[in-house]
Amino acid sequence: MSQVDLVGVGLNATDTLIPLTEFPVCGSKVEYSHETVMPGGQVATAVVACQTWGLSTRYVGKLGDDDAARLHARAFAEAGVDARLITVENAASPRSLILVDGSGERTVLCRRDARLILQPEELQREWIVRSRALHVDGYDTAAATLAAGWAREAGIPVTADLDEIYPGVEALLERIDYLIVSRDFPCRLMQESDLRSALRKMQSRYGCRLTAATLGPDGVLAWDGREFHFSAAFRVPVVDTTGAGDIFHAGFLYGLLQGWELERQLEFSCAAAAMNCMADGARGGIQTVAAIEAFMAGAERYPRTGEFAASIA
């Protein structure tokens, strides 16, 4: 078993993107011109992005025995990812129908076979500990919790991308070092109305090194246990926001494994996510590290104003 920089345990999905000029109202009929099928999934996409940027990676996940599974296997192989794929016979791989409106905002319809939930006993410890970092999304909660426990025992940092409060997720959260979640997750989890208070409480309760929330065009707000850090989003012509959060996490992981300061990690993550939004699909706009850094040097950012930027004043 080879040593890798990053191992990811979590979701994959085959995305069918359908661009629309406007989102349909209930009961209406809307024509569309075309659809595009491409691989996606939170952890799978983050792993592929990091591999593209020169890190060595491993992906652990579960698929059916259909054309969608073969699409993923080809994508991992072409990228150079060490894919540890568990196949379930006569099962359909996860699929997502993604409706993208004229502003680039997406609405996702998911289909997942319960037989494809990754089980703890299907993991091998060496898959996890032969790495420098572990990334999970929490969907396969029990398996992710076991993997995070192994990583913690081995002194390997664990990052997480969460947008749902899955049953049993608290045991997983106690094993996360860098908890970067969607905008409304902290307030729902901590039953707080104020995001800053929720981030503080999450960090205190679960012992994370960092808690953060991605805020779309409002950037990202992070709490390190001592102070807040805010990074403004980059202003770009948005084609499709699918995968923006996945690529943000990939950027954070890349910076973490380079030993960057937090401010640079957050800025690079925002830039990588913004550039991905200028193309179709979860992985359609993954750029090179050099291109992202050049973009960072000259791209326009949203003003550092408002309640989140004020958190670090």
Side-chain angles (χ1 to χ4, degrees):
M1 173 65 62
S2 62
Q3 176 84 12
V4 296
D5 294 313
L6 169 67
V7 59
V9 177
L11 285 171
N12 61 73
T14 301
D15 298 339
T16 300
L17 269 71
I18 303 174
L20 303 170
T21 54
E22 59 183 32
F23 193 81
V25 298
C26 184
S28 66
K29 290 183 178 180
V30 176
E31 292 189 3
Y32 67 94
S33 60
H34 66 281
E35 61 188 54
T36 307
V37 178
M38 57 187 66
Q42 285 169 245
V43 165
T45 294
V47 165
V48 168
C50 285
Q51 182 77 36
T52 301
W53 296 331
L55 297 180
S56 56
T57 65
R58 178 177 300 122
Y59 172 75
V60 181
K62 213 164 176 179
L63 289 161
D65 60 354
D66 51 8
D67 288 341
R70 288 180 280 276
L71 174 66
H72 277 283
R74 285 196 302 272
F76 287 131
E78 289 169 1
V81 175
D82 174 17
R84 303 290 165 156
L85 302 175
I86 298 163
T87 300
V88 179
E89 293 184 0
N90 301 316
S93 299
R95 299 293 297 261
S96 296
L97 299 178
I98 302 178
L99 308 180
V100 184
D101 68 16
S103 70
E105 190 55 64
R106 88 283 189 267
T107 299
V108 183
L109 310 177
C110 300
R111 186 193 72 188
R112 300 186 182 116
D113 189 322
R115 291 174 294 169
L116 296 182
I117 296 174
L118 186 65
Q119 300 300 320
E121 60 270 20
E122 293 172 319
L123 291 176
Q124 294 184 27
R125 188 176 186 275
E126 64 177 346
W127 292 348
I128 309 304
V129 300
R130 297 283 295 168
S131 71
R132 295 173 57 212
L134 168 67
H135 183 51
V136 300
D137 56 31
Y139 176 74
D140 301 316
T141 312
T145 301
L146 177 62
W150 285 338
R152 271 288 181 88
E153 290 169 1
I156 295 166
V158 183
T159 66
D161 175 5
L162 297 176
D163 52 19
E164 297 294 338
I165 303 174
Y166 302 111
V169 77
E170 294 221 352
L172 172 61
L173 295 177
E174 293 170 356
R175 295 164 171 81
I176 302 302
D177 297 294
Y178 301 94
L179 180 58
I180 305 173
V181 298
S182 58
R183 184 178 195 135
D184 62 341
F185 182 93
C187 293
R188 285 190 286 125
L189 179 69
M190 306 309 299
Q191 298 183 344
E192 268 282 347
S193 59
D194 179 73
L195 177 60
R196 288 158 292 194
S197 295
L199 288 173
R200 288 192 193 98
K201 289 184 176 180
M202 280 202 314
Q203 189 274 335
S204 177
R205 176 177 297 181
Y206 301 110
C208 309
R209 298 186 197 178
L210 183 84
T211 53
T214 54
L215 310 169
D218 291 324
V220 60
L221 182 66
W223 170 252
D224 66 5
R226 299 179 304 278
E227 59 183 333
F228 280 105
H229 303 261
F230 172 79
S231 189
F234 289 85
R235 192 189 296 272
V236 296
V238 175
V239 172
D240 179 10
T241 59
T242 303
D246 312 340
I247 302 302
F248 181 96
H249 284 81
F252 185 88
L253 280 156
Y254 182 83
L256 178 68
L257 291 172
Q258 302 303 312
W260 291 348
E261 294 294 329
L262 178 59
E263 286 74 13
R264 187 180 179 195
Q265 283 180 261
L266 296 177
E267 183 179 13
F268 181 86
S269 302
C270 285
M275 294 184 82
N276 199 64
C277 290
M278 294 192 288
D280 289 323
R283 308 175 192 176
I286 298 174
Q287 302 295 318
T288 65
V289 171
I292 295 168
E293 291 184 332
F295 173 81
M296 289 164 58
E300 181 184 1
R301 305 180 79 168
Y302 285 95
R304 293 174 60 91
T305 58
E307 58 174 319
F308 302 116
S311 298
I312 61 169

